[in-house]
Amino acid sequence: MITLAPRPASRIPIVVCAIILLNVAVVFYLESLNPSRLLIFMLRNAVVPRVFFEPVWGVYNGVTGDVLPFFTAMFIHGNWLHLGFNMLALAMLGPAMERRFGSVPFAVFYVACGVAASATHVYVNSQSSLPLVGASGAIAGVFAAFVAADLRARPFIVPIPAYAIAAAFLGLQVYSLVAEGAGGAREGGIAWWAHIGGFLAGGALYPLFNLMRRRERPPFSGEPAPAPDDRGPRG
């Protein structure tokens, strides 16, 4: 079984680094906007569930119901604390999965999980006019893939298996939904359903992306690939 225990990386995780830098740049940009321009930016680039079910409301409030926010919202964060927690989790989980899938497939996987997370939130919170932003749904998908790759892996500093952390993570989402109401994110400001949607999408997509990964790629742990067999073809 392939282990995901921390080992020297075979190369720099360029997609993970690019995602982190992009998210940081967006927060800097948001801080440069005045309140009115910030509101316009959020309405255009964050996911507002209500606009997809009440187009007239969206037109009245200047919110369009296009699909672009499903892609842009995962790169927007409300503040530095929000950004810090998400990027720390991505830095811990992302490099291993990027090495496993490859840079381009990992980028596609990450975005797909983020879109699935937003779609889940929109479906459950159809009447919400609160904008949804953040990378937590996409990162939840990366975490699910990490767990699926090796249940014994320990992704964080504490010596706790990934499957145990995953169980606690899902338990927290369910508990929070029960405590706040079925929709979630209406009072507490945290999109619990987006976390669940991203996690389930990551678990569902992992077998496909794992199957597509290049077989000639060096082992996931960062160890050098075995030397080719030079004894000639075999019958």
Side-chain angles (χ1 to χ4, degrees):
M1 179 178 291
I2 297 175
T3 179
L4 303 186
R7 296 187 183 181
S10 59
R11 57 188 173 84
I12 297 175
I14 56 176
V15 171
V16 171
C17 293
I19 292 172
I20 292 174
L21 290 175
L22 177 58
N23 279 274
V24 171
V26 170
V27 173
F28 272 115
Y29 175 72
L30 294 180
E31 290 193 336
S32 72
L33 301 178
N34 60 44
S36 60
R37 292 184 64 189
L38 177 61
L39 176 61
I40 293 173
F41 179 89
M42 285 296 187
L43 291 177
R44 289 178 177 175
N45 296 281
V47 175
V48 182
R50 189 174 177 181
V51 70
F52 298 99
F53 296 89
E54 297 183 32
V56 175
W57 177 89
V59 172
Y60 180 79
N61 289 275
V63 187
T64 58
D66 56 49
V67 298
L68 182 61
F70 283 94
F71 296 91
T72 56
M74 70 185 81
F75 300 101
I76 304 171
H77 289 81
N79 52 55
W80 288 105
L81 184 62
H82 185 200
L83 173 73
F85 277 121
N86 280 344
M87 294 303 100
L88 178 61
L90 179 61
M92 289 179 173
L93 301 168
M97 299 317 302
E98 182 175 345
R99 289 195 299 271
R100 185 169 187 82
F101 292 154
S103 294
V104 173
F106 174 77
V108 175
F109 176 86
Y110 181 87
V111 171
C113 290
V115 170
S118 295
T120 304
H121 175 79
V122 167
Y123 179 77
V124 176
N125 297 276
S126 60
Q127 297 303 308
S128 174
S129 58
L130 298 177
L132 172 69
V133 296
S136 54
I139 296 170
V142 175
F143 181 36
F146 191 101
V147 174
D150 190 339
L151 296 178
R152 300 173 304 173
R154 290 168 170 76
F156 304 109
I157 297 175
V158 292
I160 302 176
Y163 70 85
I165 301 177
F169 171 80
L170 289 176
L172 174 62
Q173 312 312 305
V174 174
Y175 171 81
S176 300
L177 285 172
V178 173
E180 294 185 8
R186 294 174 180 171
E187 300 294 337
I190 299 178
W192 306 110
W193 275 110
H195 298 170
I196 294 174
F199 188 90
L200 295 179
L205 290 172
Y206 169 77
L208 174 62
F209 279 79
N210 190 52
L211 185 64
M212 291 191 306
R213 68 191 180 96
R214 288 185 357 214
R215 296 303 178 183
E216 65 271 19
R217 191 181 308 282
F220 182 40
S221 63
E223 298 171 352
D229 191 341
D230 58 359
R231 291 177 292 176
R234 301 176 182 177

